[in-house]
Amino acid sequence: MAGIFARLTSPLRHIDADPDQLVLEAYQLLQDAKKNHGVWPAMAAYTGMATVKIQIAQYLKEHRG
């Protein structure tokens, strides 16, 4: 029962995004991170955002599919 309540109250429930598009955007961010090889703050920012986009895409596929 807790899982149902968590999904009903989840702030992610309101995200209106295409999971496939999020994965493509994540891929582009990883390519940008590669271009900034050696610049650790930039690489961390790009890979962090890519990770978030992939996690949201996974959530959307699991709970809306």
Side-chain angles (χ1 to χ4, degrees), residues 2 6 17-18 28 30 32 36 40-41:
D18 177 21
Q28 184 59 47
L30 292 174
D32 292 341
N36 287 284
W40 292 105

Side-chain angles (χ1 to χ4, degrees), residues 2-52:
I4 293 171
F5 181 74
R7 281 195 297 267
L8 289 175
T9 60
S10 173
L12 296 176
R13 186 169 69 97
H14 302 290
I15 294 175
D16 184 28
D18 177 21
D20 295 330
Q21 183 62 35
L22 288 172
V23 172
L24 290 173
E25 291 173 11
Y27 177 77
Q28 184 59 47
L29 287 168
L30 292 174
Q31 295 304 312
D32 292 341
K34 219 190 267 190
K35 291 177 192 171
N36 287 284
H37 183 74
V39 183
W40 292 105
M43 290 176 63
Y46 284 126
T47 56
M49 285 300 298
T51 300
V52 168

